[in-house]
Amino acid sequence: MKPGDTLMKHYLQFKDLRAQEYAYLFERTREIKQRFKNYEKYQPLVDRTLAMIFEKASTRTRVSFEAGMYQMGGSVVNLTTGDSQLGRAEPIEDSARVISRMVDIVMIRTFEQTKIERFAAHSRVPVINGLTNEFHPCQILADLFTFIEHRGAIAGRTVAWVGDGNNMANTWLQAADILGFTLHVSTPSGYELDFDVAGVKNRACVKLFDNPLDACRGADLVTTDVWTSMGYEAENERRLVDFEKWCVDAEMMAVARSDALFMHCLPAHRGEEVAAEVIDGPQSVVWDEAENRMHVQKALMEYLLLGRIG
Ligand code: CP
Ligand code: NVA
């Protein structure tokens, strides 16, 4: 593939794929996961290499992409800012030109979305967003698949977002717009969703609430995230005060639907954004959610490299 190749797709934001493509990916994920559970070898990516670039810490993203790529027969190169020339000011455009001549697909976790966009613009191969300050599309892909596995179709449902208007919230907003569910959002003042960042004009898919309890009322899924995302550590003390009421607790789960699920992308801080009794309780599906990162990303890499199967 060459830069500008119209057949090449990147996955930089959730809105880079359409609803029909998501339906396909969820079905492929189900099949790929089933094969994994049956110990059935499935190696469509033999001789393909994934480069992973981490400018921020990771446990799940690193393990899920690396294990997933090896399971599909490929191999992985792992780069961090500290151990590559990225940390010594080599332009991102030059890094993209070089890395994409040697590997078949790239996953990047970095700070500004513009950085991954600049990389993609100079890459010969598909680029996947493994988290930026603005978006975390692979996580929402896993969250949606997890919901569908447990409860069926997401269209027409209600998802409650409690907490920071961050990369996860922006991505949920794009997903609600594309997949036809309602997003209830409650953030502290000063941490609101930015519709311009998400690029979502459709306000009908979102309802905003001052009180997090009201956001959870009638929800099919309640979800939250850390109060302080990576890159915002200098604001931690202030955020501990500002987010105090945005802790998902048993009272919030009690006003959601009786069969509501709880999700958290992890890592979690029990006693801050979520009470231990919720994340460790019967409605929580956080471990399935974490595992599903690997299955959805296998389907995503297969799709970006091979197109539709069958
Ligand atoms: N949820 C998530 O992306 O986890 P990591 O930061 O551990 O990759
Ligand atoms: N919003 C969090 C997600 C971590 C997976 C962060 O960006 O740090």
Side-chain angles (χ1 to χ4, degrees):
M1 290 178 182
K2 299 187 179 60
D5 185 340
T6 51
L7 294 174
M8 185 170 78
K9 277 183 196 293
H10 300 297
Y11 193 55
L12 307 184
Q13 309 187 25
F14 195 87
K15 68 177 182 187
D16 285 344
L17 298 180
R18 298 186 307 270
Q20 307 92 297
E21 291 175 294
Y22 282 110
Y24 170 78
L25 280 181
F26 293 138
E27 181 51 27
R28 278 307 291 165
T29 300
R30 198 185 58 72
E31 289 168 22
I32 287 170
K33 180 172 181 177
Q34 195 56 49
R35 287 184 178 185
F36 175 79
K37 295 292 175 188
N38 292 343
Y39 298 97
E40 216 179 291
K41 215 181 226 187
Y42 178 58
Q43 302 198 318
L45 300 183
V46 170
D47 291 337
R48 305 290 183 120
T49 304
L50 163 71
M52 299 198 291
I53 300 171
F54 285 102
E55 300 213 279
K56 290 177 177 172
S58 168
T59 296
R60 279 145 289 270
T61 303
R62 164 107 197 243
V63 177
S64 57
F65 269 104
E66 188 157 342
M69 191 58 175
Y70 284 128
Q71 287 161 25
M72 291 200 294
S75 52
V76 181
V77 177
N78 190 41
L79 295 164
T80 66
T81 314
D83 66 13
S84 69
Q85 301 290 5
L86 285 162
R88 298 183 61 253
E90 180 164 18
I92 195 83
E93 291 81 359
D94 292 357
S95 304
R97 289 181 178 107
V98 171
I99 293 167
S100 71
R101 281 181 178 234
M102 301 180 195
V103 305
D104 302 278
I105 189 162
V106 179
M107 187 288 305
I108 307 181
R109 168 168 286 196
T110 188
F111 292 87
E112 296 80 16
Q113 182 72 11
T114 49
K115 208 164 174 185
I116 197 169
E117 283 166 2
R118 283 163 56 206
F119 189 104
H122 295 85
S123 172
R124 291 185 168 200
V125 302
V127 178
I128 297 174
N129 182 345
L131 182 147
T132 56
N133 291 349
E134 289 86 352
F135 300 112
H136 197 2
C138 292
Q139 183 66 55
I140 302 303
L141 195 56
D143 295 7
L144 289 163
F145 179 75
T146 306
F147 184 88
I148 294 165
E149 257 191 329
H150 283 269
R151 295 285 182 266
I154 188 80
R157 307 288 192 132
T158 298
V159 175
W161 176 263
V162 173
D164 193 12
N166 64 9
N167 44 11
M168 286 287 295
N170 290 333
T171 312
W172 272 114
L173 181 55
Q174 292 192 345
D177 185 28
I178 293 167
L179 299 180
F181 59 89
T182 302
L183 187 65
H184 285 186
V185 178
S186 178
T187 65
S189 166
Y191 301 93
E192 290 87 357
L193 268 183
D194 186 332
F195 285 77
D196 291 336
V197 169
V200 172
K201 295 198 174 61
N202 168 21
R203 298 284 177 122
C205 63
V206 190
K207 288 186 185 148
L208 306 177
F209 298 85
D210 292 334
N211 183 342
L213 196 66
D214 293 332
C216 295
R217 220 174 286 286
D220 296 280
L221 166 63
V222 176
T223 184
T224 186
D225 188 10
V226 291
W227 290 343
T228 305
S229 285
M230 292 180 281
Y232 298 83
E233 289 80 2
E235 299 173 13
N236 194 38
E237 292 305 308
R238 177 78 249 155
R239 284 170 175 259
L240 285 174
V241 175
D242 291 347
F243 282 80
E244 206 184 347
K245 295 197 183 72
W246 279 262
C247 171
V248 177
D249 57 14
E251 193 188 354
M252 291 189 199
M253 293 307 295
V255 298
R257 281 177 57 101
S258 57
D259 65 348
L261 300 174
F262 172 77
M263 291 190 199
H264 188 311
C265 64
L266 305 176
H269 300 82
R270 289 168 177 78
E272 290 188 12
E273 74 275 6
V274 61
E277 63 184 339
V278 171
I279 193 167
D280 299 319
Q283 288 168 282
S284 172
V285 289
V286 297
W287 314 123
D288 288 347
E289 182 188 1
E291 178 190 327
N292 283 335
R293 284 291 301 278
M294 183 174 80
H295 305 303
V296 295
Q297 289 160 192
K298 286 168 76 177
L300 177 67
M301 289 192 286
E302 180 194 69
Y303 182 59
L304 296 179
L305 287 172
L306 305 178
R308 286 186 185 239
I309 303 293

